[in-house]
Amino acid sequence: MSEQADIGKLFSNKKLFQITCIHKSTHVSKCLPFVIAFTLSNKFIGVLFVLITLASVRGLCAVFLQLCSEIRVEKKDKILVITFDNPKKRNSLNRKAYKELGLVLREVDKDNSVTTVVITGKGDFFTSGNDLSQSADAFLDLETFIKESNVIFKEMVSALIDCTKLTIALINGPCIGIGATLTALCDIVWCSSTAYFLTPFTKLGLVTEACSSYTFPLILGRSKANEMLLLSEKMTAQEAYNHSFVSKIFEPAELETNIWPKLREFSELPPESLQTSKRLIRQHERDTIYRSLNAESEELYKRLLSEEFTNALVAFANRKNKSKL
């Protein structure tokens, strides 16, 4: 993570244009990225550098992704903080962000200096969910784009399931779609009093995702889970606490004075004891979680190609356009 910090510091005061060319294979370990960065001055455009590397140098590949995605990664002592950082779109996530999130979660598992992973959002939103404005790459037909996106999404969820570090979701505001379903896979969830949780999958002609067909009924009980997953009902912060979806509600003003000091305290717990205890707690549900992920991914692929989803997406776009008038 130190490489990311150094490069971030180097470019903090420069306006960059980045061109990333990646081999058609979407699996990160098989990609060949070429990153060309240009820096602007008042009178000229000069080539700053050209870096060419095989993606097997995975740490450097993570740096490339870090420079141009909607996720910010920062190491604070023994805590790795992953921040959804796309405030213009209420921290919505696209497949580039999913790919990076999966990569970061895989990498942090190898870092013995990190004991805790905190996932949060920038600004008023945790995340508004999947970025519905993203489009298929120019070189892909729609079916191929959806298939590859589904693979990326599934790998990202798998990386969170497999993460041996303590995972804490720090929900700073509204938590929609994939934000809510990933939250249910974290070890601990704390939320702001301004937060709410929403999974509008059926409104979009989709299905449950990220193991929520298993985790939501397990945590919330069947009736409340079905309100959210089938009826797209919103769950307030207080309801989330009452149904054990979150274990603490905090006021935004408490974040720096009370919440982060407590998280730093947690990060100092003996790491081997922490990870072994987590493994023992999770071992009984692991197979069921993966069965849910596989079944949901299969159905999600079908739904994304369905006419029902297309119609729902058009209706969503029309509602969004009318709201701007």
Side-chain angles (χ1 to χ4, degrees), residues 52-292:
I52 302 175
T53 181
L54 289 174
S56 56
V57 185
R58 300 175 68 185
L60 199 53
C61 186
V63 174
F64 294 155
L65 290 168
Q66 175 68 14
L67 290 174
C68 54
S69 85
E70 291 79 19
I71 289 180
R72 187 174 76 252
V73 180
E74 184 181 5
K75 188 175 177 183
K76 297 182 177 180
D77 298 322
K78 296 182 180 181
I79 301 175
L80 187 75
V81 184
I82 300 173
T83 304
F84 300 142
D85 188 2
N86 186 17
K88 290 182 179 179
K89 292 189 175 183
R90 296 179 174 179
N91 296 337
S92 64
L93 304 173
N94 57 26
R95 79 178 203 162
K96 185 188 296 181
Y98 294 145
K99 184 182 290 188
E100 181 182 0
L101 181 56
L103 179 61
V104 169
L105 289 169
R106 293 294 185 193
E107 287 300 313
V108 75
D109 243 8
K110 305 171 186 176
D111 190 341
N112 293 329
S113 67
V114 173
T115 64
T116 306
V117 176
V118 173
I119 304 175
T120 191
K122 181 179 180 179
D124 297 330
F125 264 70
F126 181 71
T127 175
S128 59
N130 189 47
D131 182 1
L132 295 176
S133 67
Q134 59 186 321
S135 59
D137 294 351
F139 57 83
L140 295 177
D141 60 76
L142 180 60
E143 186 172 351
T144 302
F145 178 79
I146 290 174
K147 184 179 292 186
E148 295 190 354
S149 296
N150 204 25
V151 170
I152 292 169
F153 181 84
K154 188 175 178 181
E155 163 55 21
M156 178 268 293
V157 176
S158 298
L160 180 57
I161 295 170
D162 295 342
C163 186
T164 61
K165 312 296 183 179
L166 180 67
T167 55
I168 300 176
L170 191 61
I171 312 299
N172 57 299
C175 181
I176 301 172
I178 185 60
T181 54
L182 288 182
T183 291
L185 288 170
C186 291
D187 300 313
I188 295 170
V189 185
W190 291 356
C191 79
S192 165
S193 59
T194 64
Y196 64 78
F197 301 84
L198 180 65
T199 50
F201 303 134
T202 55
K203 279 189 175 181
L204 293 170
L206 297 174
V207 294
T208 56
E209 64 178 22
C211 314
S212 56
S213 59
Y214 171 72
T215 57
F216 273 47
L218 178 69
I219 298 169
L220 298 170
R222 179 176 295 178
S223 183
K224 189 62 179 177
N226 286 342
E227 281 186 3
M228 294 193 68
L229 296 175
L230 302 183
L231 306 181
S232 302
E233 286 287 286
K234 184 186 297 185
M235 180 169 65
T236 66
Q238 188 60 52
E239 287 177 315
Y241 179 79
N242 293 343
H243 286 86
S244 300
F245 197 77
V246 307
S247 56
K248 183 188 288 291
I249 299 175
F250 59 86
E251 296 300 326
E254 294 182 85
L255 203 54
E256 296 300 329
T257 56
N258 294 330
I259 301 304
W260 277 108
K262 195 68 177 175
L263 296 179
R264 284 191 285 272
E265 182 182 329
F266 291 156
S267 72
E268 295 297 333
L269 290 168
E272 290 185 14
S273 173
L274 196 63
Q275 291 180 32
T276 301
S277 296
K278 172 176 174 172
R279 177 175 54 79
L280 291 171
I281 292 168
R282 288 289 182 110
Q283 65 179 340
H284 306 290
E285 61 184 17
R286 181 180 173 82
D287 289 345
T288 305
I289 284 178
Y290 265 105
R291 282 199 300 272
S292 299

